[in-house]
Amino acid sequence: VETAELRYYLGGINGIKALSVYRLFALPYVRSMLINFKRAIALDPNYTPAIEAYIESLCLVPSIIGGNVKKAKELSNKLVELNTVEGYFFLFFIAKTLGENEAAKKAYSKAFMALEELGFCSENKAAFFKNKSLNFSFKIAEVSAYFGLYPTIGLCAIDYFIEQKSYLYNIPLEWAYYRKA
């Protein structure tokens, strides 16, 4: 049975494979990654992990092989409607990727204000992170450390990442401890 989750995982596996081979041989994996993320979203337009992964991929992959920052921005705006916090984090990601520091800071501030309004550190984090990408808690901590603001939220997020450690993470646990420090 084809599901958005399986397509998301297949896209992720292809992305990891693309990073592990010589660049000349990575193209089929990159294309497969993009196709699988796009198919996951077609199967379930509200499956946020696939939307997140597709946004990152569209920003990082050169346009000649399928990257499309305009499409990434459209998806981020859709993500803001689905989940305000995630949407702003990905608008931040796009702005940061494009070197638009003021726009990045603005999106970042909105995301953390939304987290603060939710009482992020005192709420049930398992419920908050349900149906989000495995690395979203790491991303929150990373952004917090990058700007040196909202350290309490950053620490809550990285502690959650560490507590939930999984073999499915594509970020080594050592990086989480480094980020926490």
Side-chain angles (χ1 to χ4, degrees), residues 51-61 72 90 93 97 139:
I51 296 170
E52 292 172 19
Y54 197 39
I55 289 169
E56 286 185 356
S57 300
L58 289 170
C59 287
L60 298 175
V61 170
F90 281 90
F93 177 82
T97 301
K139 290 174 188 173

Side-chain angles (χ1 to χ4, degrees), residues 8 48-49 52 86 90 129 131-137 139:
Y8 163 71
T48 57
E52 292 172 19
E86 285 176 279
F90 281 90
F129 286 111
N131 299 324
K132 291 179 177 52
S133 72
L134 295 171
N135 298 329
F136 190 60
S137 58
K139 290 174 188 173

Side-chain angles (χ1 to χ4, degrees), residues 75-140:
L75 284 169
S76 285
N77 289 327
K78 176 185 176 182
L79 197 54
V80 169
E81 293 171 18
L82 292 173
N83 184 301
T84 306
V85 173
E86 285 176 279
Y88 285 131
F89 267 96
F90 281 90
L91 285 171
F92 159 80
F93 177 82
I94 293 167
K96 184 178 163 200
T97 301
L98 295 173
E100 299 170 353
N101 291 337
E102 284 307 309
K105 242 181 183 174
K106 185 177 177 183
Y108 164 81
S109 294
K110 287 181 180 180
F112 275 94
M113 283 188 271
L115 281 170
E116 217 168 37
E117 286 174 18
L118 289 171
F120 176 75
C121 289
S122 60
E123 80 163 28
N124 179 351
K125 284 176 216 45
F128 176 83
F129 286 111
K130 185 180 180 191
N131 299 324
K132 291 179 177 52
S133 72
L134 295 171
N135 298 329
F136 190 60
S137 58
F138 185 88
K139 290 174 188 173
I140 291 171

